[in-house]
Amino acid sequence: MFRWLKSLVGSVSHSKGLKSAGAATPAEQHHLIESLDDLLKTPGKACYRTLSRLVASTTQHEFIDLVHCPALVGSAVRDGELMKQGSEPVAKRKKTQLFSPSMVNLFVQGGNIEQSIFLLRKPLTGVSSSGMKIFRVGRDQNSDIQMVDVAISSEHAVIKLESDGYYLQDLASSNGTFVNGMKLGRERVLLEGGDSVRFARYEFIFIGSGELHDLLNGLRD
């Protein structure tokens, strides 16, 4: 885990509540949420800049009310090596590439791992009530949490919201799904705040919206 993330997650405070100077109006906050929903329609990855602007304009309680969901926050990329790749684009490769912990790999396509934040949230329109509770993780373009990387299976894992929380289950992925370092078999696991969640070589921290606000607010200081 990155040192800065470990220190922030370990020291989040629920007492923060002051707005910064130049805070956005409620209408502007609503516009930011609409922008957030637009960005979440396909890949699931939130815009780091949009989230930072929302944090700057809200108290922790306001942020919780607006976002109202937990998040997977990128924390590390495991060492590894990939089998020789073909010339076709990554998104079009069908076979998942295996890797072993021996060489340093590239970060997630499209940004640094620290800024890879996936909100377990779907747009309020165009999604059935049952679909709101299922988040499919994978390389496939129809995934709710899409990671276009050859180490990730097309259908890698699934997160389901049930009455008592969010459950994570591996879908027989090639490179595995891990919670707090333990590789999942067929069993599903109830996620708890602060859990380390890894899909193949990409590691995330599962945190609530209040902790996410504090984390992003801490990075602004």
Side-chain angles (χ1 to χ4, degrees):
M1 186 191 307
F2 283 130
R3 190 174 301 168
W4 63 265
L5 181 61
K6 184 176 182 179
S7 62
L8 281 171
V9 171
S11 62
V12 289
S13 168
H14 295 281
S15 63
K16 293 184 180 180
L18 296 177
K19 290 188 178 181
S20 61
T25 65
E28 290 171 333
Q29 291 176 10
H30 180 71
H31 175 70
L32 283 171
I33 287 296
E34 288 184 333
S35 299
L36 196 60
D37 279 348
D38 287 341
L39 291 166
L40 292 172
K41 284 181 179 177
T42 304
K45 183 178 178 181
C47 175
Y48 184 82
R49 181 177 299 178
T50 299
L51 278 179
S52 296
R53 289 177 58 204
L54 188 59
V55 165
S57 68
T58 59
T59 65
Q60 187 199 66
H61 292 298
E62 290 171 338
F63 184 83
I64 292 172
D65 289 340
L66 290 168
V67 176
H68 201 61
C69 69
L72 291 171
V73 181
S75 61
V77 180
R78 293 280 179 167
D79 290 346
E81 64 180 7
L82 298 176
M83 296 163 56
K84 186 176 181 180
Q85 303 173 7
S87 58
E88 67 272 28
V90 173
K92 293 184 178 180
R93 295 175 192 154
K94 300 298 182 181
K95 186 176 180 180
T96 303
Q97 302 286 331
L98 298 176
F99 68 97
S100 59
S102 62
M103 294 179 64
V104 175
N105 287 296
L106 298 175
F107 284 159
V108 180
Q109 274 197 349
N112 295 331
I113 187 67
E114 313 97 290
Q115 296 184 0
S116 294
I117 299 175
F118 294 93
L119 296 180
L120 296 183
R121 166 196 176 95
K122 292 186 178 181
L124 297 178
T125 58
V127 181
S128 66
S129 58
S130 59
M132 293 285 288
K133 301 178 180 180
I134 300 175
F135 301 86
R136 300 190 180 278
V137 182
R139 194 176 68 244
D140 187 84
Q141 63 179 357
N142 294 320
S143 301
D144 300 300
I145 297 176
Q146 185 185 24
M147 288 181 275
V148 184
D149 183 278
V150 291
I152 301 295
S153 296
S154 295
E155 297 180 357
H156 196 100
V158 64
I159 299 173
K160 293 183 179 180
L161 172 60
E162 300 192 7
S163 59
D164 56 340
Y166 290 81
Y167 284 85
L168 172 64
Q169 185 173 21
D170 183 71
L171 298 178
S173 62
S174 298
N175 290 312
T177 301
F178 303 77
V179 175
N180 297 326
M182 299 294 294
K183 186 175 183 179
L184 301 185
R186 294 187 178 184
E187 75 284 0
R188 60 181 195 157
V189 173
L190 176 63
L191 295 176
E192 298 182 1
D195 278 350
S196 168
V197 177
R198 178 159 65 92
F199 306 106
R201 55 183 177 173
Y202 297 109
E203 193 167 311
F204 299 84
I205 301 298
F206 177 77
I207 59 177
S209 51
E211 287 75 18
L212 178 61
H213 179 278
D214 285 347
L215 189 154
L216 294 175
N217 195 40
L219 293 178
R220 295 175 52 250
D221 294 339

Short mmCIF file of all heavy atoms in Angstrom, two decimals, residues 78-127:
data_model
loop_
_atom_site.label_atom_id
_atom_site.label_comp_id
_atom_site.label_asym_id
_atom_site.label_seq_id
_atom_site.Cartn_x
_atom_site.Cartn_y
_atom_site.Cartn_z
N ARG A 78 0.94 -4.54 -7.90
CA ARG A 78 1.87 -5.60 -7.55
C ARG A 78 2.93 -5.78 -8.63
O ARG A 78 2.68 -5.53 -9.81
CB ARG A 78 1.10 -6.92 -7.39
CG ARG A 78 0.15 -6.93 -6.20
CD ARG A 78 0.89 -7.18 -4.92
NE ARG A 78 0.01 -7.17 -3.76
CZ ARG A 78 0.36 -7.61 -2.57
NH1 ARG A 78 1.58 -8.10 -2.39
NH2 ARG A 78 -0.48 -7.56 -1.56
N ASP A 79 4.10 -6.24 -8.21
CA ASP A 79 5.12 -6.62 -9.18
C ASP A 79 4.62 -7.81 -9.99
O ASP A 79 3.82 -8.60 -9.52
CB ASP A 79 6.42 -7.03 -8.48
CG ASP A 79 7.11 -5.84 -7.82
OD1 ASP A 79 6.73 -4.70 -8.14
OD2 ASP A 79 8.01 -6.06 -7.01
N GLY A 80 5.15 -7.93 -11.21
CA GLY A 80 4.75 -9.07 -12.02
C GLY A 80 5.31 -8.97 -13.42
O GLY A 80 5.93 -7.98 -13.80
N GLU A 81 5.13 -10.01 -14.20
CA GLU A 81 5.51 -9.97 -15.60
C GLU A 81 4.41 -10.62 -16.41
O GLU A 81 3.69 -11.50 -15.92
CB GLU A 81 6.84 -10.71 -15.83
CG GLU A 81 6.81 -12.18 -15.54
CD GLU A 81 8.16 -12.83 -15.80
OE1 GLU A 81 9.13 -12.09 -16.08
OE2 GLU A 81 8.23 -14.06 -15.75
N LEU A 82 4.23 -10.14 -17.62
CA LEU A 82 3.18 -10.65 -18.49
C LEU A 82 3.79 -11.49 -19.59
O LEU A 82 4.93 -11.27 -20.00
CB LEU A 82 2.40 -9.49 -19.11
CG LEU A 82 1.67 -8.57 -18.13
CD1 LEU A 82 1.03 -7.42 -18.87
CD2 LEU A 82 0.62 -9.35 -17.35
N MET A 83 3.02 -12.43 -20.07
CA MET A 83 3.45 -13.20 -21.22
C MET A 83 3.55 -12.28 -22.42
O MET A 83 2.97 -11.20 -22.44
CB MET A 83 2.44 -14.33 -21.49
CG MET A 83 2.35 -15.36 -20.37
SD MET A 83 0.87 -16.38 -20.44
CE MET A 83 1.00 -17.05 -22.09
N LYS A 84 4.30 -12.70 -23.44
CA LYS A 84 4.48 -11.88 -24.63
C LYS A 84 3.13 -11.51 -25.23
O LYS A 84 2.28 -12.36 -25.43
CB LYS A 84 5.33 -12.61 -25.66
CG LYS A 84 5.69 -11.75 -26.87
CD LYS A 84 6.62 -12.50 -27.82
CE LYS A 84 6.98 -11.63 -29.01
NZ LYS A 84 7.89 -12.34 -29.94
N GLN A 85 2.96 -10.24 -25.53
CA GLN A 85 1.68 -9.74 -26.01
C GLN A 85 1.69 -9.60 -27.53
O GLN A 85 2.72 -9.38 -28.14
CB GLN A 85 1.37 -8.38 -25.39
CG GLN A 85 1.37 -8.41 -23.86
CD GLN A 85 1.24 -7.03 -23.27
OE1 GLN A 85 1.02 -6.07 -23.99
NE2 GLN A 85 1.39 -6.93 -21.97
N GLY A 86 0.49 -9.73 -28.10
CA GLY A 86 0.34 -9.55 -29.54
C GLY A 86 0.29 -8.08 -29.90
O GLY A 86 0.39 -7.21 -29.04
N SER A 87 0.12 -7.79 -31.17
CA SER A 87 0.12 -6.41 -31.63
C SER A 87 -1.25 -5.76 -31.56
O SER A 87 -1.39 -4.55 -31.70
CB SER A 87 0.63 -6.34 -33.09
OG SER A 87 -0.19 -7.16 -33.92
N GLU A 88 -2.31 -6.56 -31.34
CA GLU A 88 -3.66 -6.00 -31.31
C GLU A 88 -3.87 -5.16 -30.05
O GLU A 88 -3.19 -5.36 -29.05
CB GLU A 88 -4.72 -7.10 -31.40
CG GLU A 88 -4.78 -8.02 -30.18
CD GLU A 88 -3.84 -9.20 -30.30
OE1 GLU A 88 -2.81 -9.06 -31.00
OE2 GLU A 88 -4.11 -10.23 -29.67
N PRO A 89 -4.83 -4.21 -30.08
CA PRO A 89 -5.11 -3.37 -28.91
C PRO A 89 -5.49 -4.22 -27.71
O PRO A 89 -6.10 -5.29 -27.85
CB PRO A 89 -6.29 -2.50 -29.37
CG PRO A 89 -6.19 -2.50 -30.86
CD PRO A 89 -5.66 -3.84 -31.25
N VAL A 90 -5.13 -3.73 -26.51
CA VAL A 90 -5.41 -4.47 -25.27
C VAL A 90 -6.87 -4.82 -25.13
O VAL A 90 -7.24 -5.92 -24.75
CB VAL A 90 -4.93 -3.66 -24.05
CG1 VAL A 90 -5.37 -4.34 -22.76
CG2 VAL A 90 -3.42 -3.51 -24.07
N ALA A 91 -7.74 -3.85 -25.45
CA ALA A 91 -9.18 -4.05 -25.26
C ALA A 91 -9.72 -5.19 -26.11
O ALA A 91 -10.76 -5.76 -25.80
CB ALA A 91 -9.93 -2.76 -25.56
N LYS A 92 -9.03 -5.54 -27.22
CA LYS A 92 -9.54 -6.56 -28.13
C LYS A 92 -8.95 -7.94 -27.85
O LYS A 92 -9.36 -8.93 -28.45
CB LYS A 92 -9.24 -6.16 -29.58
CG LYS A 92 -10.02 -4.92 -30.02
CD LYS A 92 -9.76 -4.63 -31.49
CE LYS A 92 -10.57 -3.42 -31.93
NZ LYS A 92 -10.34 -3.11 -33.37
N ARG A 93 -7.98 -8.03 -26.94
CA ARG A 93 -7.39 -9.33 -26.65
C ARG A 93 -8.37 -10.16 -25.83
O ARG A 93 -8.91 -9.70 -24.84
CB ARG A 93 -6.07 -9.16 -25.88
CG ARG A 93 -5.01 -8.46 -26.71
CD ARG A 93 -3.76 -8.20 -25.89
NE ARG A 93 -2.90 -7.28 -26.64
CZ ARG A 93 -2.02 -6.49 -26.09
NH1 ARG A 93 -1.87 -6.48 -24.79
NH2 ARG A 93 -1.28 -5.70 -26.83
N LYS A 94 -8.58 -11.39 -26.23
CA LYS A 94 -9.57 -12.24 -25.57
C LYS A 94 -8.98 -13.02 -24.41
O LYS A 94 -9.62 -13.25 -23.40
CB LYS A 94 -10.17 -13.21 -26.60
CG LYS A 94 -10.88 -12.51 -27.77
CD LYS A 94 -12.06 -11.67 -27.29
CE LYS A 94 -12.78 -11.02 -28.46
NZ LYS A 94 -13.90 -10.18 -28.04
N LYS A 95 -7.73 -13.45 -24.54
CA LYS A 95 -7.13 -14.31 -23.53
C LYS A 95 -6.49 -13.49 -22.42
O LYS A 95 -5.75 -12.55 -22.66
CB LYS A 95 -6.08 -15.21 -24.17
CG LYS A 95 -5.51 -16.25 -23.20
CD LYS A 95 -4.55 -17.17 -23.91
CE LYS A 95 -3.96 -18.20 -22.95
NZ LYS A 95 -3.02 -19.11 -23.62
N THR A 96 -6.77 -13.86 -21.19
CA THR A 96 -6.16 -13.20 -20.04
C THR A 96 -4.71 -13.62 -19.92
O THR A 96 -4.40 -14.80 -20.00
CB THR A 96 -6.91 -13.56 -18.76
OG1 THR A 96 -8.28 -13.21 -18.90
CG2 THR A 96 -6.33 -12.82 -17.57
N GLN A 97 -3.82 -12.66 -19.72
CA GLN A 97 -2.41 -12.96 -19.57
C GLN A 97 -2.08 -13.23 -18.10
O GLN A 97 -2.49 -12.48 -17.23
CB GLN A 97 -1.57 -11.77 -20.07
CG GLN A 97 -1.84 -11.38 -21.51
CD GLN A 97 -1.24 -12.37 -22.50
OE1 GLN A 97 -0.25 -13.01 -22.21
NE2 GLN A 97 -1.85 -12.49 -23.65
N LEU A 98 -1.35 -14.31 -17.86
CA LEU A 98 -0.91 -14.61 -16.50
C LEU A 98 0.35 -13.82 -16.17
O LEU A 98 1.07 -13.40 -17.07
CB LEU A 98 -0.63 -16.11 -16.37
CG LEU A 98 -1.81 -17.04 -16.61
CD1 LEU A 98 -1.36 -18.49 -16.53
CD2 LEU A 98 -2.93 -16.79 -15.61
N PHE A 99 0.61 -13.60 -14.88
CA PHE A 99 1.82 -12.90 -14.49
C PHE A 99 2.34 -13.49 -13.19
O PHE A 99 1.63 -14.14 -12.46
CB PHE A 99 1.56 -11.40 -14.31
CG PHE A 99 0.68 -11.07 -13.14
CD1 PHE A 99 1.23 -10.68 -11.94
CD2 PHE A 99 -0.70 -11.13 -13.25
CE1 PHE A 99 0.43 -10.38 -10.85
CE2 PHE A 99 -1.50 -10.84 -12.16
CZ PHE A 99 -0.94 -10.46 -10.96
N SER A 100 3.63 -13.31 -12.96
CA SER A 100 4.26 -13.80 -11.73
C SER A 100 5.03 -12.66 -11.08
O SER A 100 5.50 -11.76 -11.78
CB SER A 100 5.20 -14.96 -12.04
OG SER A 100 6.21 -14.54 -12.94
N PRO A 101 5.16 -12.64 -9.75
CA PRO A 101 5.81 -11.52 -9.07
C PRO A 101 7.32 -11.49 -9.26
O PRO A 101 8.07 -12.02 -8.45
CB PRO A 101 5.43 -11.73 -7.60
CG PRO A 101 5.20 -13.20 -7.51
CD PRO A 101 4.66 -13.63 -8.83
N SER A 102 7.81 -10.88 -10.34
CA SER A 102 9.25 -10.80 -10.56
C SER A 102 9.71 -9.51 -11.21
O SER A 102 10.86 -9.15 -11.09
CB SER A 102 9.72 -11.99 -11.42
OG SER A 102 9.10 -11.94 -12.69
N MET A 103 8.79 -8.80 -11.88
CA MET A 103 9.17 -7.55 -12.55
C MET A 103 8.11 -6.49 -12.30
O MET A 103 6.94 -6.80 -12.09
CB MET A 103 9.32 -7.77 -14.07
CG MET A 103 10.48 -8.71 -14.45
SD MET A 103 10.57 -8.94 -16.23
CE MET A 103 10.95 -7.27 -16.75
N VAL A 104 8.53 -5.24 -12.33
CA VAL A 104 7.60 -4.13 -12.10
C VAL A 104 6.76 -3.91 -13.35
O VAL A 104 7.26 -3.92 -14.46
CB VAL A 104 8.37 -2.84 -11.76
CG1 VAL A 104 7.42 -1.66 -11.64
CG2 VAL A 104 9.15 -3.03 -10.46
N ASN A 105 5.46 -3.70 -13.16
CA ASN A 105 4.54 -3.51 -14.28
C ASN A 105 4.10 -2.06 -14.41
O ASN A 105 4.36 -1.23 -13.55
CB ASN A 105 3.28 -4.37 -14.07
CG ASN A 105 3.57 -5.84 -14.30
OD1 ASN A 105 3.91 -6.23 -15.41
ND2 ASN A 105 3.48 -6.62 -13.26
N LEU A 106 3.41 -1.78 -15.50
CA LEU A 106 2.85 -0.46 -15.73
C LEU A 106 1.61 -0.27 -14.86
O LEU A 106 0.98 -1.24 -14.42
CB LEU A 106 2.47 -0.29 -17.20
CG LEU A 106 3.62 -0.40 -18.20
CD1 LEU A 106 3.08 -0.34 -19.62
CD2 LEU A 106 4.63 0.72 -17.98
N PHE A 107 1.26 0.99 -14.64
CA PHE A 107 0.04 1.30 -13.89
C PHE A 107 -1.19 1.07 -14.77
O PHE A 107 -1.10 0.77 -15.94
CB PHE A 107 0.06 2.75 -13.43
CG PHE A 107 0.97 2.99 -12.25
CD1 PHE A 107 1.42 4.26 -11.99
CD2 PHE A 107 1.35 1.97 -11.41
CE1 PHE A 107 2.25 4.50 -10.91
CE2 PHE A 107 2.17 2.19 -10.33
CZ PHE A 107 2.63 3.47 -10.08
N VAL A 108 -2.36 1.21 -14.13
CA VAL A 108 -3.62 1.10 -14.85
C VAL A 108 -3.63 2.07 -16.01
O VAL A 108 -3.20 3.21 -15.88
CB VAL A 108 -4.81 1.43 -13.90
CG1 VAL A 108 -6.13 1.31 -14.63
CG2 VAL A 108 -4.78 0.50 -12.70
N GLN A 109 -4.14 1.62 -17.15
CA GLN A 109 -4.21 2.51 -18.30
C GLN A 109 -5.04 3.74 -17.98
O GLN A 109 -6.09 3.65 -17.36
CB GLN A 109 -4.87 1.78 -19.49
CG GLN A 109 -3.90 0.99 -20.32
CD GLN A 109 -4.52 0.64 -21.67
OE1 GLN A 109 -5.70 0.83 -21.89
NE2 GLN A 109 -3.70 0.15 -22.56
N GLY A 110 -4.57 4.89 -18.37
CA GLY A 110 -5.36 6.11 -18.24
C GLY A 110 -5.15 6.88 -16.96
O GLY A 110 -5.89 7.82 -16.69
N GLY A 111 -4.17 6.55 -16.15
CA GLY A 111 -3.95 7.34 -14.95
C GLY A 111 -3.17 6.59 -13.89
O GLY A 111 -2.94 5.39 -13.99
N ASN A 112 -2.72 7.32 -12.87
CA ASN A 112 -2.00 6.71 -11.77
C ASN A 112 -2.94 5.90 -10.90
O ASN A 112 -4.12 6.22 -10.76
CB ASN A 112 -1.33 7.79 -10.92
CG ASN A 112 -0.25 8.53 -11.69
OD1 ASN A 112 0.37 7.96 -12.59
ND2 ASN A 112 -0.04 9.78 -11.34
N ILE A 113 -2.41 4.88 -10.26
CA ILE A 113 -3.24 4.02 -9.41
C ILE A 113 -3.84 4.81 -8.25
O ILE A 113 -4.98 4.56 -7.85
CB ILE A 113 -2.43 2.81 -8.90
CG1 ILE A 113 -3.34 1.83 -8.15
CG2 ILE A 113 -1.25 3.25 -8.03
CD1 ILE A 113 -4.35 1.14 -9.01
N GLU A 114 -3.10 5.82 -7.73
CA GLU A 114 -3.63 6.59 -6.61
C GLU A 114 -4.90 7.35 -6.96
O GLU A 114 -5.70 7.66 -6.10
CB GLU A 114 -2.60 7.62 -6.10
CG GLU A 114 -1.20 7.11 -5.91
CD GLU A 114 -0.34 7.41 -7.11
OE1 GLU A 114 -0.57 6.78 -8.15
OE2 GLU A 114 0.56 8.26 -7.01
N GLN A 115 -5.06 7.68 -8.24
CA GLN A 115 -6.22 8.44 -8.69
C GLN A 115 -7.29 7.54 -9.31
O GLN A 115 -8.24 8.03 -9.92
CB GLN A 115 -5.79 9.53 -9.65
CG GLN A 115 -4.88 10.56 -9.00
CD GLN A 115 -4.52 11.71 -9.93
OE1 GLN A 115 -4.95 11.76 -11.08
NE2 GLN A 115 -3.73 12.65 -9.43
N SER A 116 -7.13 6.23 -9.17
CA SER A 116 -8.12 5.28 -9.67
C SER A 116 -9.14 5.02 -8.56
O SER A 116 -8.87 4.28 -7.61
CB SER A 116 -7.45 3.98 -10.10
OG SER A 116 -6.62 4.18 -11.21
N ILE A 117 -10.28 5.69 -8.66
CA ILE A 117 -11.32 5.58 -7.64
C ILE A 117 -12.60 5.08 -8.31
O ILE A 117 -13.12 5.70 -9.22
CB ILE A 117 -11.58 6.93 -6.96
CG1 ILE A 117 -10.29 7.42 -6.27
CG2 ILE A 117 -12.72 6.82 -5.95
CD1 ILE A 117 -10.41 8.80 -5.67
N PHE A 118 -13.07 3.93 -7.85
CA PHE A 118 -14.30 3.36 -8.37
C PHE A 118 -15.38 3.47 -7.30
O PHE A 118 -15.28 2.87 -6.23
CB PHE A 118 -14.10 1.89 -8.76
CG PHE A 118 -13.16 1.70 -9.92
CD1 PHE A 118 -11.80 1.47 -9.71
CD2 PHE A 118 -13.63 1.76 -11.22
CE1 PHE A 118 -10.93 1.29 -10.76
CE2 PHE A 118 -12.76 1.58 -12.30
CZ PHE A 118 -11.42 1.34 -12.07
N LEU A 119 -16.42 4.25 -7.59
CA LEU A 119 -17.54 4.38 -6.66
C LEU A 119 -18.53 3.26 -6.91
O LEU A 119 -18.87 2.95 -8.05
CB LEU A 119 -18.24 5.73 -6.86
CG LEU A 119 -17.43 6.99 -6.56
CD1 LEU A 119 -18.28 8.23 -6.82
CD2 LEU A 119 -16.92 6.99 -5.13
N LEU A 120 -19.00 2.63 -5.83
CA LEU A 120 -20.02 1.58 -5.97
C LEU A 120 -21.38 2.26 -6.05
O LEU A 120 -22.21 2.19 -5.15
CB LEU A 120 -19.93 0.60 -4.80
CG LEU A 120 -18.60 -0.18 -4.73
CD1 LEU A 120 -18.63 -1.17 -3.58
CD2 LEU A 120 -18.31 -0.88 -6.04
N ARG A 121 -21.57 2.91 -7.18
CA ARG A 121 -22.73 3.76 -7.40
C ARG A 121 -23.08 3.70 -8.88
O ARG A 121 -22.20 3.63 -9.73
CB ARG A 121 -22.38 5.19 -7.00
CG ARG A 121 -23.34 6.26 -7.47
CD ARG A 121 -22.70 7.65 -7.35
NE ARG A 121 -23.58 8.68 -7.89
CZ ARG A 121 -24.41 9.40 -7.15
NH1 ARG A 121 -24.45 9.22 -5.86
NH2 ARG A 121 -25.18 10.32 -7.70
N LYS A 122 -24.37 3.74 -9.18
CA LYS A 122 -24.80 3.77 -10.57
C LYS A 122 -25.73 4.96 -10.79
O LYS A 122 -26.33 5.46 -9.83
CB LYS A 122 -25.52 2.47 -10.94
CG LYS A 122 -24.60 1.25 -10.95
CD LYS A 122 -25.32 0.02 -11.46
CE LYS A 122 -24.39 -1.18 -11.51
NZ LYS A 122 -25.07 -2.39 -12.02
N PRO A 123 -25.82 5.44 -12.02
CA PRO A 123 -26.73 6.56 -12.29
C PRO A 123 -28.15 6.21 -11.85
O PRO A 123 -28.56 5.05 -11.91
CB PRO A 123 -26.65 6.71 -13.82
CG PRO A 123 -25.32 6.15 -14.17
CD PRO A 123 -25.10 5.01 -13.22
N LEU A 124 -28.89 7.21 -11.40
CA LEU A 124 -30.23 6.97 -10.87
C LEU A 124 -31.24 6.65 -11.96
O LEU A 124 -32.32 6.15 -11.69
CB LEU A 124 -30.70 8.19 -10.07
CG LEU A 124 -29.87 8.51 -8.83
CD1 LEU A 124 -30.40 9.77 -8.15
CD2 LEU A 124 -29.86 7.34 -7.87
N THR A 125 -30.90 6.96 -13.21
CA THR A 125 -31.83 6.71 -14.32
C THR A 125 -31.28 5.63 -15.24
O THR A 125 -30.07 5.48 -15.40
CB THR A 125 -32.06 7.99 -15.14
OG1 THR A 125 -30.79 8.47 -15.63
CG2 THR A 125 -32.69 9.07 -14.29
N GLY A 126 -32.17 4.88 -15.85
CA GLY A 126 -31.78 3.90 -16.85
C GLY A 126 -31.26 2.59 -16.30
O GLY A 126 -30.77 1.75 -17.05
N VAL A 127 -31.36 2.38 -14.98
CA VAL A 127 -30.90 1.13 -14.37
C VAL A 127 -32.02 0.57 -13.51
O VAL A 127 -32.62 1.28 -12.71
CB VAL A 127 -29.64 1.36 -13.50
CG1 VAL A 127 -29.17 0.03 -12.91
CG2 VAL A 127 -28.54 2.00 -14.31
#
